[in-house]
Amino acid sequence: MTKPRILQKGRLLPQLESALAENYDVHVLDPDKDNSAWLAEHGHAFVGLTSSARYGAERALIDALPNLRVISSFGVGYETIDVARARERGIPVGYTPDVLNDCVADTAFGLLMDVARRFSAADRFVRRGEWLTGQYPLTTRISGKKLGILGMGRIGRVIARRASGFDMEVRYHNRRELPDSPHAYEPTLMGLARWADFLVVASAGGPETRKLVDAGVLEALGPEGFLINISRGSVVDEAALLDALREGRIAGAGLDVFDKEPQVPEAFFKLDNVVLLPHVASATRETRQAMADLVIENLRSFFADGRVKVAVP
Ligand code: DGY
């Protein structure tokens, strides 16, 4: 039996690529090249597309695949996929939510603890030999503090659960109040920032949330407040954040994500009140394997009975 032909945009985990190759005839597209001529010639051959939150699937790519029947993406974020176009063409889009909630929530708390207690900066202090001659400055207590969550979705809820172990009070801001949340709703982000000691960004990316955390929100968070971002760099106005960190108008920030990854504005490197991670919130062996399994399962289930297991909403 001939294997269904799948186009893969960008490289994926090696074990995912091997699993794909067992069941499909896969061609890998280099996302850094102009593939339009190649697609015009070969695009008709593919019935499936695999990609990731990072590389997405833009309208031009979807339209270059006239026989495309299914998209299966590695990641929970799907703002880089033209879901509306896929829907118009009746193409289901599978993705990998939930399996990464715990690891992303752990990373949010890791960043929160690191920036408040200044662990990474203290590590640098020890390595530089400064402990021999000086005392490390006092830091900020975490337990009993107020945690504001922007975006009380799947990941936001797990972050809130972690917070209860630290005896923190939690409030959240969403577009809409949730009927079933045990936590208080703040109708405005500004109100949430004013109230919170720690503001964690856990909302989805995309045009609707672009630069939601702006200079005004940072001002409201104030000189004792900390910002944590494990969602998308686009949700925070990076220039405003840099100014606020430089001028001590907020206490610190823990960032796993940036607006133009993998570029990180060099100005961040000079600041000691910021912790920088290379977008690794879900990057544990266990979670990435679970995400890979779901990419395969979404395809398997589509080719078996016409529906991906977990489709974007
Ligand atoms: C996701 O799954 O969307 C993560 O941010 C990795 O890109």
Side-chain angles (χ1 to χ4, degrees):
M1 209 176 74
T2 54
K3 295 174 176 176
R5 295 202 71 187
I6 300 273
L7 186 66
Q8 175 184 314
K9 186 176 180 195
R11 301 309 315 207
L12 295 169
L13 279 189
Q15 63 267 40
L16 173 53
E17 292 195 351
S18 308
L20 284 167
E22 273 172 33
N23 298 294
Y24 305 101
D25 180 0
V26 182
H27 177 86
V28 181
L29 201 63
D30 179 349
D32 297 323
K33 270 180 37 191
D34 177 3
N35 296 296
S36 42
W38 188 88
L39 283 168
E41 197 180 335
H42 302 281
H44 62 91
F46 297 96
V47 292
L49 174 66
T50 50
S51 189
S52 57
R54 175 172 179 187
Y55 296 121
E58 68 282 14
R59 187 185 184 97
L61 176 59
I62 295 172
D63 285 350
L65 306 173
N67 296 312
L68 185 63
R69 293 168 55 207
V70 62
I71 298 174
S72 182
S73 179
F74 180 92
V76 65
Y78 54 87
E79 75 280 0
T80 49
I81 301 174
D82 195 332
V83 175
R85 182 61 185 144
R87 211 161 266 149
E88 273 166 21
R89 297 229 347 237
I91 299 164
V93 180
Y95 74 141
T96 65
D98 290 324
V99 292
L100 43 62
N101 295 349
D102 281 314
C103 277
V104 177
D106 291 347
T107 304
F109 255 89
L111 282 169
L112 187 155
M113 295 180 74
D114 195 336
V115 71
R117 299 299 313 275
R118 300 178 67 88
F119 291 142
S120 289
D123 174 273
R124 293 192 289 271
F125 176 86
V126 173
R127 286 168 199 255
R128 285 194 301 256
E130 291 174 26
W131 194 15
L132 299 171
T133 53
Q135 185 58 45
Y136 195 68
L138 298 180
T139 60
T140 303
R141 175 183 162 126
I142 296 160
S143 52
K145 295 287 174 68
K146 294 182 272 189
L147 178 70
I149 300 180
L150 169 59
M152 190 59 105
R154 298 172 160 105
I155 292 170
R157 285 173 225 247
V158 183
I159 294 171
R161 282 214 304 273
R162 301 280 185 279
S164 70
F166 287 81
D167 298 322
M168 297 175 98
E169 187 186 345
V170 175
R171 293 188 187 175
Y172 71 98
H173 173 70
N174 260 359
R175 260 175 313 179
R176 270 171 250 101
E177 182 169 2
L178 302 171
D180 56 350
S181 176
H183 305 292
Y185 176 67
E186 282 285 343
T188 65
L189 173 54
M190 205 64 110
L192 184 70
R194 215 170 282 124
W195 171 83
D197 298 308
F198 297 93
L199 180 63
V200 178
V201 181
S203 55
E208 285 175 23
T209 56
R210 183 151 187 87
K211 295 194 181 174
L212 222 48
V213 177
D214 59 10
V217 171
L218 296 170
E219 207 65 50
L221 188 57
E224 317 263 283
F226 294 90
L227 180 79
I228 311 299
N229 189 2
I230 44 78
S231 113
R232 287 293 182 261
S234 59
V235 185
V236 175
D237 181 338
E238 255 173 21
L241 175 61
L242 268 166
D243 285 347
L245 286 167
R246 230 188 258 121
E247 293 160 20
R249 284 185 284 107
I250 68 167
L255 309 172
D256 183 46
V257 286
F258 300 88
D259 201 14
K260 300 207 165 41
E261 294 173 10
Q263 308 293 335
V264 176
E266 273 193 31
F268 279 123
F269 303 163
K270 300 196 181 86
L271 299 172
D272 225 24
N273 56 350
V274 63
V275 177
L276 309 168
L277 299 183
H279 200 148
V280 288
S282 64
T284 61
R285 282 185 298 279
E286 297 87 340
T287 292
R288 288 289 166 93
Q289 184 61 55
M291 292 165 72
D293 291 346
L294 197 42
V295 169
I296 294 288
E297 183 52 26
N298 276 333
L299 286 174
R300 194 209 57 76
S301 124
F302 176 81
F303 286 112
D305 62 17
R307 313 175 92 177
V308 294
K309 183 172 179 208
V310 187
V312 298

